[in-house]
């Protein structure tokens, strides 16, 4: 039987991944690195309840609670639980992640008003960087790298070079459909080149089960599929919704959250129109079109 409860996987001495099945909307992954004293946490979760489960998992692993949280991007499913680890922890992230998180506020509450998110404050990074940042947890080197505009404006990749492990954030959705409307289609392809250059053998995706670098190839094929579909449909004068409804998903039909195709086409169309990467889209239109693609049913938050 597939796991349905969150679980912890020891990846290397002092390094753990925290996986939340099935990786759908609002069910992200996290991770933590510890030397037995200091602990660094990569991302939190979407609700207070789930953040407290993550807190318990860290303690059950026999390590200290985190003094540092590295945020891979601003979305609430990766950040809403930050407050559970304060005041002991300092939140670190890309400078654009901070501004995006403050601007978004309680955005998930607006999209999923029926979800019990709990007592959630918006705890944005208080320490920011622009390109690369190196942290040290005992003897473990933790490289935090900005891939450029990709899933969002302010993504971070967390790389442990000595262990061959990378936490990709939402640059990778293992078993799920990539999602780039708040970032860049072209930038996401460039980000895959960066991930490949790290030569990590263990890949902790933002959502879905643990994987390996083959996930980059699957993600790239999907992004190039969207690129080609967008170019043809844009030239025909089709709207993103019309293009998505006519499209043959082929091998990508088995991915979760297939409704994200239309959101990705909105981003592709904006780039074809010459808009800057990461320029704001009309979120209401994007969500409405995804709902239409989801047989008229609003996407469910699984947290």
């Amino acid at each position: 039987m597939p796991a349905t409860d969150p679980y912890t996987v020891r990846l290397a001495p002092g390094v753990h991944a925290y996986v939340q099945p099935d990786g759908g909307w609002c069910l992200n992954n996290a991770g933590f690195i510890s030397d037995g004293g200091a602990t660094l946490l990569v991302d939190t979760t979407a609700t207070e309840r789930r953040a407290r489960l993550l807190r318990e998992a860290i303690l059950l692993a026999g390590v200290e609670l985190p003094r540092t949280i590295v945020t891979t991007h601003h979305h609430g499913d990766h950040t809403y639980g930050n407050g559970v680890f304060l005041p002991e922890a300092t939140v670190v992230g890309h400078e654009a992640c901070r501004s995006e998180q403050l601007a978004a506020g309680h955005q998930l509450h607006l999209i999923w008003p029926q979800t019990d998110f709990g007592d959630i404050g918006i705890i944005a990074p208080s320490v920011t960087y622009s390109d690369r940042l190196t942290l040290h947890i005992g003897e473990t080197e933790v490289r935090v790298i900005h891939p450029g505009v990709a899933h969002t404006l302010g993504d971070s990749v967390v790389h442990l070079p000595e262990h061959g492990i990378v936490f990709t954030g939402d640059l990778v959705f293992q078993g799920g459909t990539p999602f780039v409307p708040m970032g860049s289609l072209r930038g996401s392809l460039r980000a895959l080149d960066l991930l490949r250059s790290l030569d990590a053998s263990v890949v902790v995706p933002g959502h879905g089960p643990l994987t390996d670098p083959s996930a980059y190839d699957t993600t790239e094929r999907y992004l190039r599929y969207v690129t080609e579909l967008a170019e043809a449909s844009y030239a025909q004068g089709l709207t993103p919704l019309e293009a998505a409804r006519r499209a043959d998903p082929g091998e990508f039909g088995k991915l979760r959250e297939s409704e994200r195709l239309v959101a990705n086409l909105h981003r592709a169309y904006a780039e074809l129109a010459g808009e800057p990467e990461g320029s704001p889209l009309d979120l209401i239109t994007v969500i409405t079109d995804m709902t239409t693609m989801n047989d008229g049913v609003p996407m469910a938050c699984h947290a």
Side-chain angles (χ1 to χ4, degrees):
M1 293 289 290
T4 56
D5 294 329
Y7 59 92
T8 302
V9 179
R10 182 181 181 273
L11 304 177
V15 182
H16 294 78
Y18 183 77
V19 181
Q20 295 193 100
D22 62 353
W25 288 108
C26 293
L27 287 178
N28 70 302
N29 296 331
F32 51 97
I33 301 105
S34 179
D35 67 349
T39 300
L40 180 150
L41 175 61
V42 181
D43 285 339
T44 57
T45 60
T47 69
E48 180 187 4
R49 180 183 70 83
R50 285 184 173 271
R52 294 197 180 281
L53 290 174
L54 171 57
R55 186 180 187 277
E56 291 174 12
I58 294 170
L59 293 174
L60 284 171
V63 302
E64 297 292 325
L65 290 173
R67 298 178 189 172
T68 305
I69 299 171
V70 175
T71 296
T72 61
H73 61 289
H74 75 279
H75 289 157
D77 53 336
H78 294 254
T79 62
Y80 269 12
N82 287 358
V84 166
F85 299 93
L86 267 59
E88 293 80 10
T90 297
V91 182
V92 177
H94 188 262
E95 56 194 16
C97 173
R98 173 179 168 83
S99 58
E100 286 178 299
Q101 190 175 348
L102 293 173
H106 290 94
Q107 193 172 65
L108 297 190
H109 290 65
L110 302 177
I111 299 172
W112 289 291
Q114 304 305 316
T115 298
D116 180 9
F117 290 103
D119 183 10
I120 294 299
I122 301 303
I123 311 298
S126 58
V127 175
T128 61
Y129 75 100
S130 60
D131 183 33
R132 292 178 179 239
L133 174 69
T134 300
L135 303 169
H136 296 272
I137 302 299
E139 297 182 357
T140 300
E141 181 180 338
V142 181
R143 297 178 182 174
V144 185
I145 307 167
H146 176 52
V149 180
H151 177 63
T152 66
L153 298 178
D155 294 311
S156 292
V157 169
V158 179
H159 180 218
L160 310 183
E162 67 184 285
H163 296 304
I165 298 168
V166 63
F167 295 83
T168 69
D170 285 0
L171 301 183
V172 175
F173 289 81
Q174 179 65 3
T177 302
F179 191 60
V180 300
M182 296 182 185
S184 169
L185 182 61
R186 296 169 182 159
S188 294
L189 286 165
R190 292 194 300 271
L192 292 173
D193 291 335
L194 168 66
L195 288 171
R196 290 186 176 104
S197 75
L198 301 179
D199 199 28
S201 59
V202 177
V203 175
V204 183
H207 295 252
L210 303 180
T211 185
D212 57 44
S214 66
Y216 306 153
D217 299 335
T218 303
T219 302
E220 179 174 357
R221 288 198 305 275
Y222 176 83
L223 294 175
R224 295 202 181 281
Y225 159 74
V226 174
T227 299
E228 294 171 5
L229 176 62
E231 290 172 349
S233 302
Y234 187 81
Q236 295 173 41
L238 300 177
T239 67
L241 181 58
E242 290 170 336
R245 297 182 82 169
R246 296 184 185 189
D248 176 3
E251 68 171 297
F252 310 113
K254 62 185 179 183
L255 297 178
R256 295 185 313 270
E257 301 92 40
S258 61
E259 69 275 3
R260 291 177 180 167
L261 173 60
V262 70
N264 296 330
L265 285 169
H266 274 283
R267 172 54 59 195
Y269 272 41
E271 293 182 1
L272 287 169
E275 295 293 327
E277 294 180 357
S279 56
L281 301 179
D282 184 334
L283 188 58
I284 292 177
T285 298
V286 170
I287 292 174
T288 299
D289 281 359
M290 283 197 292
T291 301
T292 300
M293 289 294 295
N294 196 40
D295 297 325
V297 179
M299 292 77 66
C301 173
H302 299 291

